[in-house]
Amino acid sequence: MPAYHNISRRRGRGNVKQPQSFKTARNLIFPAVLFLQCWWLWRTLSSSNDNQSFPAAAPPLEMTTELAFVDDGIPVNNEMNDMSHHDTPPKTLASSSPLLLLEGQLSKNHEIRTTTSHPTVNRPFIFFHVPKCGGSTLRKVFNDAAKAIGKRMFAPCYDSVPCPITENDLIGKSVEIEEKSACAEVLAGHFTTKLVTVMANQTLNHRAVVSSSNQCTRNWTSTTTTTTTTAMNDSPPLLRPTFDCLVAVREPISRFVSHYYHFIEKDNPLYSGRILKDMSLEDLTTIIHNSANNTMLDYFSSHLPGLHPERQENSFTLQEKIEAAGDFLKQCVVLVMEDWQTSTRLVESAVPWLRGHLSHATALNKRSSRVKNHESIEDFTPGVATALREMLKGDDAVYNIAVNVYRQQLKLFGIEASTTRKESKTEDTKDESAGIVMESQQQQRQRWSDSNFYNKIPFIKAVTYFGRGNPLNFWYERFEDYIDADFSRLREEGFNSLILVVPWADVQLTVHPPTYKLFVLSRIEYMMQKAVEYNLFTIFRVSYPHGFDPMNEPASGHERCRLIMDIDTSNGIQDGWLDYMSVLNGIFTKEQYKTSYLYSFTSWEDFFCLIAIGKDTPDDQRILLSKQLGFDKFLMDNYKPQELEKMFKGFTPGEYPIPKWSLRDEGFPAYIKFIDMKWWKLVMLGRSVHPNLTMELRIDKEGGKIAYDMHLEDKGPPKQAYWGGYMGSRPGIPLVSDVAVSNLERAMKHASVDAQSPIILGQFNFQDNTPYMVMRNIILEECNTFLEKSAAVLKKYTKGYGLWVYRNYRQSEIFNGSFLLGLEGWNVQKVGNGLVELDSDRILLIAGQSEDFLVKIVQGAKQQSELSCDDHNKNMELCFRYRMKNRWDRLHVIWDGKKIGERIEFSSDWKEKCMRVPSLETNQFYTIGFQVEGLSSVNIENVEFFCHTHMMYMNDVHNNPNSTCGKGIKSLNQLLD
């Protein structure tokens, strides 16, 4: 079983924007209140002509410009980078005060503006994120989409913007924050409608933020003057703030419940562990009035005090707030959380540049198990439920307005409306609005204790499937090209299951706050669809901590492991882990995958840091780490003072260090129990949101004597086990088939507690060539014989087996080597005229259009040491597929900025090229990639850079059969039928 414990984040990959220096002009001209007063006047005077219906509009992709009509009937042409102006001012506004018109997402008739134009400084896009309305998912979507189209994004928790930032922090508190927000073309965060006031203030006060390449002032000031001038002939300009926006709303009781468990029960000691439905009406009233009092209403009516500075801030009636919020909602695209999938279609129709980034947000929207596992309105007594609705009637009114606007917007785009349910969904029902049926968590918990269900599953014969990739890059491979052939062959050879490795770091890019790679989630769903098509069971390893996406944070598997094992959970990693597990559960348990998905598992290997800490921690840090991990508390809770005194002679009571990784250390057996407890505790935590979860157990006996817990009492899905030829073998003696079978039987008897505990041998590693691990392998001439003889052992002690390496793979660390993500992760330097883009087949195309054209496309890669390389050869190897259009095309490989070898030979057909590069200083990062020159036209894909090929002698890297062990595995499958 190959290990990746020393993988670290690579440096020098991708395009890294350097910090820019900005200058800020601070000329105060007009107070922002004038903006709001005039906007409100315009809205009030024009409201009598508002048509509440949504007239038909052309499909968004066909619209290249947009025409909006204001009160005087004059069309305004809003091109992507041009702000046009009225020839004459609107008739309804007096000309003796600043004239400001708000053009939001809707025109005066509330018609959604649809355009292929992208956000600009003059017309930014704003997402108003109300807490606990699905906004964390949406904020991530906006961040990805904005970067994909090269737009500047301002969002708390992203790009060094502190998470607590609100609109109140955008002026006068931090020059850096002020500069970033003033230049932003997309804004997403916990912003109330007061944000528009702040943005107008930045314009009115001429708070210009200037960089060397860009003027960041929002051009909301018209050059047109009014028809009436003052004596000083200095009438104020016409101000027309323009923006597009999105709001997400949620049924108020559901939002309140989620708010309580996320913000109050977790953080306020007075409410820790307290359940809402068990509280008195007095307690509920206190909670609502102190921290959750009509939050949606407040978010969408926060501009009112600026409109009426003569009034006290708390003097506005509920009805005034509701009307103000309703007017504002009509300016935005509305997303209803209870109707997420249909809302997704609306948003991607109205905002085309989000298309593709939001299409898999349904799974993310179902991420919060706390909502499903806690109260809905039915759980409260009728009297309490009525009182809750009365206290939240402001939010209830806003929600109803939003739903009505939403339904009208659906009609505009020809999208069939769903029945939007106001009550929060209970834990396990059909999601009517999304058209998805999810197996309930209770059903998931019961399925493995149901003997009938258990007996329906045949003996598992699985491969851990990586296609032509490896554990670190598989989900970025172009597996659509060959998956049908692969799955057909697997079925022919007797396999009935897939084990799929989900890299935690490549799915959940940031753990706190949790953000996700929607691309990888979509690939997982595609794989599940194919598994259903070919009648293959699926088992997911969900804890694989490694990944090479440059956006990973924390970056390394060791760091994620270390943080999640910390006894202090305030770092947010455990919460992020639960969010991740819930997201995956929402995908795996969809009705359409019910015939395929079996269960998920974590592995002790993926949380190897606890072993590494025991082996590698310096003596002066062992007491501190003991406290951070909770080992000291574990000792005091489970051992008597006399026992602890014997284990830790010379140490002060309570100051107990992590023991040395040695049988000679008296505390070592206790530490083994401790890390086993920590591993299993994470499984139990995960089951709270991902019930079909189990673990790959560590079945080794440390030092041949100290065993881990095999968790016989657990009634969940089958535990996973592993076995390698080295286990039980004796150094210096060739491992023949009979001895290997005996070793296998001893290991499986121990792992299954003499066949009492169901296990699946998920890593049946009878051959393993990991270079830096001294492994004992079965002699190749007896591999097929061993596999046939192992059938009886597997039948007796297990419920199935899986192969780690069905097809040999190259241990490449290249990210996005097939360019399915475009140029993400690659750094491109170009001189002259030419193209660097994906062609119609989404293959990288580099095409020069001038003789002086030269492009370098590279990314950072690590020079491995001899210990990590096959045959200790650290001259690393680059393999890639390419084709050329012309015989004179010039394609070179470059390593550390230098050309390697001669020009790549011409081939008009796809061809694989492999070549070695000179070794450089070990464990340092250098650039590897390609240089294309002149009028060349070249396609490149499937780039791999490696010095180790992992093998189990069944199929080579191109999936050609190898009879050394390949014949035996087919015989094994037949014997296990």
Side-chain angles (χ1 to χ4, degrees):
M1 58 201 144
Y4 302 100
H5 309 311
N6 297 319
I7 290 174
S8 61
R9 169 178 270 180
R10 293 180 289 181
R11 307 298 178 194
R13 170 181 288 137
N15 296 307
V16 180
K17 293 185 178 180
Q18 299 299 319
Q20 297 178 342
S21 61
F22 297 98
K23 296 180 180 179
T24 305
R26 303 179 182 273
N27 300 319
L28 300 177
I29 297 179
F30 300 113
V33 65
L34 293 179
F35 155 70
L36 287 167
Q37 287 174 325
C38 294
W39 169 53
W40 187 258
L41 177 62
W42 169 69
R43 290 294 305 143
T44 302
L45 293 176
S46 63
S47 61
S48 60
N49 297 321
D50 284 349
N51 182 352
Q52 297 298 322
S53 64
F54 284 73
L61 290 178
E62 296 178 8
M63 300 180 68
T64 56
T65 62
E66 48 184 3
L67 292 177
F69 287 83
V70 293
D71 293 300
D72 55 357
I74 300 174
V76 181
N77 188 343
N78 291 319
E79 291 287 358
M80 178 174 176
N81 294 309
D82 175 64
M83 177 58 65
S84 301
H85 311 290
H86 293 286
D87 292 330
T88 59
K91 300 173 183 177
T92 55
L93 292 178
S95 57
S96 58
S97 61
L99 304 179
L100 302 101
L101 299 179
L102 178 67
E103 291 187 311
Q105 181 67 27
L106 308 184
S107 70
K108 78 184 225 23
N109 290 326
H110 309 311
E111 178 181 339
I112 295 181
R113 296 177 181 275
T114 56
T115 177
T116 55
S117 298
H118 293 163
T120 65
V121 171
N122 291 335
R123 191 184 186 91
F125 197 102
I126 307 171
F127 168 48
F128 295 91
H129 175 188
V130 180
K132 308 313 296 175
C133 287
S136 296
T137 295
L138 289 165
R139 207 186 298 192
K140 167 62 177 168
V141 167
F142 274 102
N143 186 63
D144 289 346
K147 289 182 177 178
I149 60 174
K151 295 299 177 181
R152 287 167 295 209
M153 174 82 176
F154 182 82
C157 300
Y158 292 92
D159 298 327
S160 303
V161 178
C163 293
I165 289 291
T166 69
E167 68 273 3
N168 297 319
D169 303 305
L170 302 191
I171 292 181
K173 291 192 177 181
S174 165
V175 173
E176 181 183 4
I177 294 300
E178 195 168 333
E179 290 171 350
K180 285 184 176 182
S181 62
C183 286
E185 294 153 300
V186 180
L187 300 94
H190 287 308
F191 301 131
T192 72
T193 55
K194 184 182 174 183
L195 174 66
V196 182
T197 310
V198 175
M199 294 170 67
N201 207 4
Q202 288 178 324
T203 298
L204 289 168
N205 295 337
H206 288 265
R207 304 176 79 87
V209 182
V210 182
S211 73
S212 59
S213 61
N214 196 43
Q215 175 90 14
C216 291
T217 307
R218 300 192 193 280
N219 186 15
W220 287 355
T221 306
S222 172
T223 57
T224 304
T225 59
T226 61
T227 55
T228 304
T229 59
T230 65
M232 299 295 296
N233 196 29
D234 59 352
S235 63
L238 170 67
L239 297 180
R240 298 177 58 253
T242 54
F243 62 93
D244 299 311
C245 52
L246 173 77
V247 297
V249 296
R250 183 176 186 177
E251 191 280 318
I253 301 296
S254 174
R255 202 212 68 81
F256 164 64
V257 170
S258 182
H259 180 100
Y260 169 76
Y261 286 107
H262 186 84
F263 293 111
I264 302 172
E265 188 269 342
K266 186 173 69 172
D267 297 332
N268 189 332
L270 293 176
Y271 294 98
S272 179
R274 297 187 64 185
I275 306 301
L276 275 175
K277 66 180 181 180
D278 297 334
M279 291 185 188
S280 67
L281 181 57
E282 182 180 0
D283 285 341
L284 290 172
T285 303
T286 300
I287 292 171
I288 288 178
H289 284 298
N290 286 347
S291 63
N293 193 5
N294 292 302
T295 304
M296 289 191 293
L297 176 63
D298 286 345
Y299 259 69
F300 300 141
S301 63
S302 290
H303 52 277
L304 269 179
L307 290 170
H308 302 281
E310 75 283 359
R311 294 176 58 178
Q312 294 294 322
E313 191 167 333
N314 60 359
S315 68
F316 297 97
T317 66
L318 182 67
Q319 190 58 37
E320 286 176 316
K321 288 185 175 182
I322 291 171
E323 290 176 0
D327 274 339
F328 191 83
L329 285 169
K330 295 167 188 175
Q331 306 298 313
C332 299
V333 179
V334 175
L335 182 152
V336 178
M337 194 169 174
E338 285 74 23
D339 198 16
W340 185 275
Q341 188 174 28
T342 307
S343 291
T344 295
R345 294 176 60 197
L346 171 65
V347 173
E348 292 193 338
S349 297
V351 192
W353 57 272
L354 289 178
R355 199 165 288 162
H357 293 276
L358 191 56
S359 55
H360 290 274
T362 298
L364 300 181
N365 191 46
K366 297 180 183 299
R367 70 196 184 285
S368 178
S369 65
R370 296 186 181 93
V371 176
K372 297 174 187 173
N373 290 330
H374 290 296
E375 297 90 336
S376 67
I377 190 66
E378 294 89 352
D379 295 313
F380 297 99
T381 65
V384 170
T386 300
L388 284 175
R389 287 219 180 276
E390 177 63 24
M391 285 186 282
L392 296 174
K393 63 182 178 182
D395 271 4
D396 204 55
V398 167
Y399 182 78
N400 286 329
I401 293 171
V403 168
N404 287 332
V405 173
Y406 167 70
R407 287 172 176 162
Q408 291 175 320
Q409 293 174 359
L410 292 179
K411 290 179 183 179
L412 173 64
F413 287 98
I415 300 172
E416 186 175 351
S418 310
T419 301
T420 305
R421 294 182 298 171
K422 293 190 62 176
E423 282 70 32
S424 60
K425 292 186 284 288
T426 55
E427 142 174 41
D428 315 299
T429 54
K430 184 175 179 181
D431 180 354
E432 304 282 359
S433 62
I436 293 172
V437 179
M438 294 175 59
E439 187 177 28
S440 77
Q441 291 197 5
Q442 186 61 31
Q443 289 169 333
Q444 292 174 53
R445 294 184 185 102
Q446 291 175 349
R447 67 194 306 223
W448 289 103
S449 60
D450 182 349
S451 60
N452 291 327
F453 174 80
Y454 207 106
N455 293 332
K456 287 179 183 178
I457 298 174
F459 194 92
I460 296 298
K461 296 172 287 185
V463 299
T464 306
Y465 185 71
F466 303 125
R468 70 180 183 192
N470 66 56
L472 295 164
N473 67 13
F474 164 61
W475 296 105
Y476 302 99
E477 282 294 310
R478 202 178 298 275
F479 46 67
E480 293 90 340
D481 295 347
Y482 51 80
I483 193 170
D484 290 292
D486 281 2
F487 284 8
S488 293
R489 182 175 161 188
L490 289 173
R491 296 298 288 157
E492 290 171 2
E493 293 178 356
F495 293 100
N496 61 16
S497 304
L498 303 173
I499 298 174
L500 296 168
V501 175
V502 179
W504 178 17
D506 274 353
V507 171
Q508 191 180 51
L509 297 183
T510 62
V511 184
H512 182 65
T515 60
Y516 296 87
K517 193 81 168 183
L518 301 184
F519 174 84
V520 178
L521 292 175
S522 71
R523 306 290 277 170
I524 291 172
E525 292 224 46
Y526 176 84
M527 188 63 60
M528 296 189 76
Q529 292 164 11
K530 282 294 180 180
V532 171
E533 182 180 338
Y534 284 89
N535 197 26
L536 289 164
F537 292 114
T538 49
I539 300 167
F540 286 88
R541 177 173 173 177
V542 293
S543 58
Y544 196 72
H546 314 295
F548 282 149
D549 192 307
M551 299 299 292
N552 291 347
E553 188 62 42
S556 70
H558 182 86
E559 186 179 3
R560 289 189 178 215
C561 173
R562 172 65 187 80
L563 289 170
I564 201 170
M565 293 300 171
D566 202 317
I567 195 172
D568 180 4
T569 61
S570 62
N571 59 31
I573 301 300
Q574 280 196 15
D575 284 345
W577 165 260
L578 282 174
D579 197 88
Y580 163 72
M581 296 299 293
S582 184
V583 166
L584 293 183
N585 191 65
I587 294 175
F588 298 163
T589 58
K590 288 182 180 180
E591 179 71 14
Q592 58 263 47
Y593 309 136
K594 190 174 182 179
T595 59
S596 174
Y597 173 63
L598 291 181
Y599 60 89
S600 310
F601 68 96
T602 66
S603 172
W604 66 271
E605 282 188 283
D606 300 338
F607 300 104
F608 187 82
C609 68
L610 293 177
I611 293 178
I613 286 170
K615 291 183 175 182
D616 304 329
T617 302
D619 290 349
D620 61 349
Q621 297 178 23
R622 288 178 177 266
I623 291 179
L624 176 61
L625 272 174
S626 175
K627 293 182 180 296
Q628 291 174 344
L629 295 175
F631 179 56
D632 59 341
K633 186 176 185 303
F634 170 82
L635 291 170
M636 290 183 283
D637 289 345
N638 292 278
Y639 294 89
K640 297 176 180 178
Q642 310 90 282
E643 295 174 311
L644 294 175
E645 184 179 358
K646 181 181 178 181
M647 289 183 200
F648 300 97
K649 293 177 182 177
F651 288 94
T652 303
E655 300 291 313
Y656 303 121
I658 301 291
K660 300 289 183 63
W661 196 264
S662 170
L663 291 176
R664 292 190 294 272
D665 192 310
E666 294 284 350
F668 183 59
Y671 186 65
I672 297 301
K673 291 182 180 179
F674 169 72
I675 62 177
D676 187 89
M677 177 273 294
K678 295 285 278 188
W679 287 334
W680 191 253
K681 186 177 181 180
L682 200 59
V683 173
M684 299 306 292
L685 178 67
R687 282 182 179 174
S688 67
V689 297
H690 197 111
N692 293 325
L693 187 65
T694 187
M695 177 181 166
E696 180 185 72
L697 306 173
R698 183 166 170 85
I699 69 171
D700 300 73
K701 291 183 178 180
E702 301 298 347
K705 296 182 179 180
I706 304 176
Y708 291 85
D709 190 347
M710 295 296 104
H711 299 282
L712 174 63
E713 76 290 345
D714 183 63
K715 303 303 180 185
K719 273 81 70 179
Q720 299 289 113
Y722 64 93
W723 181 82
Y726 71 95
M727 297 175 69
S729 62
R730 300 172 64 183
I733 300 176
L735 186 57
V736 297
S737 60
D738 286 341
V739 174
V741 169
S742 297
N743 294 344
L744 174 66
E745 183 166 17
R746 279 196 299 273
M748 294 302 97
K749 184 176 182 179
H750 166 66
S752 66
V753 194
D754 200 7
Q756 296 182 72
S757 178
I759 63 168
I760 289 178
L761 181 56
Q763 287 197 62
F764 189 19
N765 295 338
F766 45 87
Q767 305 289 358
D768 194 332
N769 70 326
T770 304
Y772 54 87
M773 299 178 70
V774 181
M775 309 296 282
R776 299 278 296 152
N777 293 312
I778 302 162
I779 60 176
L780 294 179
E781 294 77 9
E782 295 195 25
C783 184
N784 289 325
T785 302
F786 162 78
L787 288 170
E788 293 172 1
K789 291 181 177 180
S790 68
V793 175
L794 295 176
K795 277 187 174 181
K796 182 176 181 179
Y797 294 104
T798 78
K799 299 295 182 180
Y801 82 93
L803 301 175
W804 177 254
V805 184
Y806 169 78
R807 173 180 183 164
N808 295 351
Y809 63 77
R810 296 160 175 162
Q811 192 54 49
S812 173
E813 298 183 9
I814 292 292
F815 174 72
N816 189 28
S818 290
F819 301 98
L820 286 180
L821 296 175
L823 295 171
E824 187 173 331
W826 294 88
N827 188 292
V828 179
Q829 302 172 11
K830 186 176 73 170
V831 176
N833 295 325
L835 301 175
V836 182
E837 62 183 19
L838 299 187
D839 66 14
S840 58
D841 296 322
R842 296 193 59 78
I843 304 290
L844 177 67
L845 170 65
I846 305 175
Q849 297 173 340
S850 64
E851 286 289 353
D852 64 343
F853 176 72
L854 184 148
V855 65
K856 293 181 179 180
I857 176 169
V858 298
Q859 69 171 258
K862 186 178 181 181
Q863 169 66 65
Q864 298 291 336
S865 68
E866 294 91 339
L867 292 177
S868 299
C869 298
D870 295 335
D871 302 321
H872 299 285
N873 181 3
K874 68 172 188 172
N875 293 104
M876 298 185 67
E877 191 168 5
L878 180 74
C879 291
F880 59 98
R881 295 179 74 234
Y882 73 98
R883 66 184 177 190
M884 301 172 174
K885 184 177 181 180
N886 311 299
R887 289 190 175 276
W888 60 79
D889 288 347
R890 289 176 283 168
L891 170 64
H892 296 270
V893 168
I894 52 176
W895 168 233
D896 191 29
K898 304 176 184 66
K899 291 182 181 178
I900 303 299
E902 300 296 324
R903 185 174 73 181
I904 303 300
E905 61 271 19
F906 171 75
S907 176
S908 60
D909 297 323
W910 280 110
K911 181 178 180 178
E912 184 179 58
K913 175 71 174 179
C914 292
M915 58 188 298
R916 295 276 183 176
V917 301
S919 64
L920 300 174
E921 186 178 350
T922 297
N923 294 326
Q924 298 300 311
F925 287 90
Y926 306 92
T927 55
I928 184 72
F930 307 94
Q931 180 170 308
V932 177
E933 304 165 358
L935 297 171
S936 302
S937 182
V938 180
N939 289 118
I940 300 172
E941 71 129 2
N942 197 36
V943 182
E944 299 176 289
F945 190 57
F946 60 99
C947 67
H948 167 62
T949 299
H950 208 67
M951 301 187 295
M952 280 183 65
Y953 304 98
M954 285 174 288
N955 298 282
D956 66 15
V957 294
H958 301 294
N959 217 21
N960 299 312
N962 185 330
S963 62
T964 303
C965 300
K967 288 184 178 180
I969 207 70
K970 294 176 186 176
S971 299
L972 174 63
N973 283 344
Q974 292 174 352
L975 292 168
L976 292 173
D977 284 340

